[in-house]
Amino acid sequence: KGTTPNTITELKILDKDNNDVTAKYPNLTAKDGVLEITPATLTITANSDSKYYDGTALTNNGYTQTGLVAGDEIASVTIEGSQTDVGSSDNKVTGMTFVDSADEANYTVKFVDGTLTVKALTDEIVVTANSKTKTYDGKPLSDNGVTVDGQLAEGDHVVATVVGEITDKGTTPNEI
């Protein structure tokens, strides 16, 4: 990247037989031009990612790049982002370095965020109070257990209070 003069080091005017006729042109002036190289645009885009809620953080430090000139190399790219709960957040490119630091001047570097999305579990979760039967013996019958149908995230568990109780012959709901 930069500019440099494009200098004329020799100037002649030749006729059709290639004879030097420069002297016929007393007002001939040589003027330098300018050669300029503008920076290339390098775009680093953080990966987007998604998953269903499982109680663990979603991260993705991957990226794609466009605009890197053959022969130049990226040493490292830093991506920061994390999403644990249902929702979305940015997956941000926060920095990058070239293998050869001199290459940095040849680029305009653009960072593009990705998105991390944790989706709600779509399975229905059904919690059912246990049912139990016994022959009459004058003592109360109760069961405070439950059965969970559906997939919970790893580490999550159901806490339920069950309040049913019966002593005499008959039936009663075992309610949560």
Side-chain angles (χ1 to χ4, degrees), residues 10 15 19 33 38 46 58 63 75-77 80 104 110 115-116 123 135-137 144 157:
E10 181 181 0
D15 67 11
N19 297 314
T38 60
L58 171 63
Y63 66 92
S76 67
V77 174
E80 294 180 7
E104 189 172 338
K110 178 181 174 186
T115 302
L116 299 174
D123 290 345
T135 302
Y136 173 76
D137 62 5
N144 63 355
H157 61 280

Side-chain angles (χ1 to χ4, degrees), residues 4-34:
T4 189
N6 193 17
T7 306
I8 298 172
T9 58
E10 181 181 0
L11 177 61
K12 294 192 243 181
I13 297 178
L14 304 176
D15 67 11
K16 65 179 177 162
D17 298 321
N18 285 333
N19 297 314
D20 186 345
V21 292
T22 306
K24 292 182 182 181
Y25 298 91
N27 292 324
L28 179 63
T29 303
K31 226 176 178 183
D32 290 346
V34 175

Side-chain angles (χ1 to χ4, degrees), residues 85-165:
D85 295 327
V86 173
S88 296
S89 62
D90 289 336
N91 198 26
K92 291 187 166 291
V93 181
T94 57
M96 64 88 52
T97 58
F98 288 95
V99 168
D100 182 350
S101 61
D103 290 339
E104 189 172 338
N106 291 321
Y107 291 93
T108 299
V109 180
K110 178 181 174 186
F111 295 156
V112 178
D113 295 343
T115 302
L116 299 174
T117 302
V118 174
K119 299 179 272 185
L121 293 169
T122 56
D123 290 345
E124 180 180 9
I125 307 295
V126 177
V127 179
T128 306
N130 290 348
S131 295
K132 197 174 217 180
T133 302
K134 78 171 189 168
T135 302
Y136 173 76
D137 62 5
K139 296 177 187 168
L141 172 64
S142 65
D143 187 329
N144 63 355
V146 296
T147 302
V148 178
D149 236 355
Q151 181 65 40
L152 297 174
E154 185 175 331
D156 288 355
H157 61 280
V158 170
V159 175
T161 302
V162 180
V163 296
E165 182 177 285

